[in-house]
Amino acid sequence: MSVCIFFPMKNQSILKIYLKKNEIEKARAMTCSELSNPLYSAIIARKLAIVHHLNVPINKEPTWLTETMQTWLEQIRKVPFNSEKMSTIEQELIRFDYENEIKILFRILEQCESPVVFCHNDLQEGNILLPSDDKHFNSKLLNNNVLDTMTKSDGDYDDDDEQTMMNGDCKQKQRSNFDDHIVFIDFEFCAYNYRGSDIANHFVERMFDYSNPEWPHYYSYMDRFPNDDEKRLFIREYLKQCSELNNTSEPGPYDNEEHLIKEVNFYALVSHLLWTLWSINNARTSKISFGYLVRFFKNFTPFLISSLTFFVVSISKEYGKTRLEAYQMHKKFVIEKYCLKID
């Protein structure tokens, strides 16, 4: 028996996600540190590839990013500036020239092709469910050598591997069984968007942990953006799954590790700037009495666990500044690494 969960979208179309009975009740949200776990990362990569291959009956033009940024920015500009009532950080963030920065951002993105696919657009740890008995789940992953099969290319198997896995069908079936235990939820922001944006946003989430019970209710780790080896682990599994879904051995012109690494590096800028705008906008519109003001954080989501209650994590001004600084630092990195001209 299964249950069907519906995620309404703007045009009244519906995305249906089927889960096994009691799957949600027996699950918990992933933690920030677990996003970097190679066992989980490989599974997330394959599941995200499946999401990206969905054919959803909504607008397939990649307008979500520009429209969302513009909407949130328009709301921000309606806020009366009051230096007496605003903190120094708030004044700094409100005064920032987002209009010009968005133009610069898209001039940068124009120099990196990225396919348009159906995207989750908010794949952070709170929107990924694990089995509540995940210690047993991890044990089964390791005991069955699943990590080895995840990280090896098709030509890398030795005799022992062949005896263990028997054949390709067995390997694929085993992966699928484990993949089914990890579930994506909260498609509030789902839309057709650039592939690089969805993957990069997921990678950026490794840098911000929202489990801090004390003010400002987050931890930031600027050194946790994945290095190239960590990116390749994820990307390799993603591309393998894409190849299986496309039923072809001929990859597209942008379906290779090097190009996807470039996409991730470019579109990480989108994550920083987009959710900074979100935080500023929600600081002024939310009626929830938390430290929202001028800050990014996307964990304003319904957790479909047990009571199906809405939970909102408090957000602080300081984080908005942290994300804006991260954007500026990463922009410098991208411009220098790829020798970009943005004038």
Side-chain angles (χ1 to χ4, degrees), residues 34-267:
E34 287 171 335
L35 294 178
S36 303
N37 183 320
L39 294 171
Y40 295 150
S41 184
I43 295 176
I44 293 169
R46 293 196 295 273
K47 294 187 77 72
L48 188 58
I50 294 171
V51 171
H52 286 177
H53 278 74
L54 291 175
N55 183 12
V56 182
I58 59 174
N59 178 22
K60 292 180 170 56
E61 293 298 317
T63 59
W64 179 83
L65 182 57
T66 54
E67 290 176 353
T68 304
M69 282 185 149
Q70 186 61 35
T71 298
W72 290 343
L73 183 54
E74 287 175 357
Q75 293 298 318
I76 292 168
R77 292 310 184 211
K78 293 178 181 178
V79 177
F81 186 84
N82 189 326
S83 59
E84 294 182 357
K85 294 184 178 181
M86 291 180 175
S87 67
T88 301
I89 292 176
E90 190 171 358
Q91 292 180 47
E92 178 182 341
L93 292 174
I94 290 290
R95 281 174 170 165
F96 187 81
D97 189 356
Y98 295 104
E99 288 82 356
N100 185 57
E101 197 59 49
I102 289 173
K103 292 178 182 177
I104 293 173
L105 171 63
F106 280 96
R107 285 203 294 269
I108 291 173
L109 297 180
E110 286 173 356
Q111 301 178 61
C112 180
E113 295 289 340
S114 184
V116 175
V117 296
F118 180 74
C119 293
H120 184 284
N121 289 320
D122 191 19
L123 197 58
Q124 42 103 343
E125 64 268 29
N127 291 335
I128 305 173
L129 300 184
L130 289 174
S132 56
D133 59 343
D134 54 296
K135 290 184 178 179
H136 180 57
F137 176 59
N138 283 339
S139 177
K140 289 198 295 183
L141 283 174
L142 292 171
N143 289 340
N144 285 278
N145 298 317
V146 172
L147 181 58
D148 288 340
T149 69
M150 288 175 179
T151 56
K152 293 180 181 179
S153 61
D154 291 339
D156 289 339
Y157 289 91
D158 54 30
D159 292 339
D160 291 336
D161 291 325
E162 292 297 337
Q163 293 176 0
T164 301
M165 301 308 300
M166 298 299 293
N167 54 51
D169 290 337
C170 177
K171 177 178 66 175
Q172 185 174 351
K173 182 177 179 181
Q174 187 180 36
R175 286 179 179 175
S176 179
N177 289 339
F178 285 107
D179 290 4
D180 287 344
H181 287 81
I182 291 182
V183 179
F184 296 168
I185 63 170
D186 191 358
F187 285 75
E188 175 188 0
F189 294 111
C190 65
Y192 277 85
N193 193 15
Y194 300 100
R195 174 181 71 178
S197 180
D198 215 18
I199 298 175
N201 185 73
H202 173 67
F203 283 169
V204 168
E205 289 298 342
R206 298 185 183 188
M207 302 165 60
F208 301 99
D209 183 346
Y210 311 113
S211 65
N212 186 357
E214 304 295 333
W215 188 266
H217 301 288
Y218 73 93
Y219 305 101
S220 60
Y221 304 98
M222 295 303 164
D223 60 343
R224 284 192 181 177
F225 188 69
N227 58 39
D228 281 358
D229 288 340
E230 292 169 325
K231 292 187 186 104
R232 288 182 193 281
L233 170 63
F234 184 99
I235 289 170
R236 192 169 294 129
E237 287 303 312
Y238 176 90
L239 290 175
K240 283 182 183 177
Q241 185 67 61
C242 288
S243 179
E244 291 177 9
L245 292 168
N246 292 331
N247 195 26
T248 178
S249 59
E250 294 295 328
Y254 306 120
D255 294 335
N256 60 79
E257 292 181 20
E258 295 306 321
H259 188 81
L260 259 169
I261 287 176
K262 181 180 179 181
E263 283 183 51
V264 166
N265 287 337
F266 274 62
Y267 278 87

Side-chain angles (χ1 to χ4, degrees), residues 275-329:
W275 297 112
T276 297
L277 293 172
W278 181 94
S279 69
I280 300 171
N281 182 51
N282 279 271
R284 292 293 173 177
T285 59
S286 176
K287 296 180 180 179
I288 299 172
S289 57
F290 287 118
Y292 257 116
L293 292 177
V294 197
R295 163 117 157 75
F296 140 85
F297 173 43
K298 314 177 303 304
N299 211 4
F300 180 49
T301 56
F303 281 83
L304 301 172
I305 302 175
S306 300
S307 63
L308 300 179
T309 303
F310 279 83
F311 292 96
V312 180
V313 178
S314 67
I315 302 170
S316 74
K317 305 170 187 177
E318 289 78 7
Y319 190 75
K321 185 176 181 180
T322 301
R323 283 309 289 262
L324 191 55
E325 289 174 347
Y327 168 83
Q328 292 167 329
M329 288 188 294

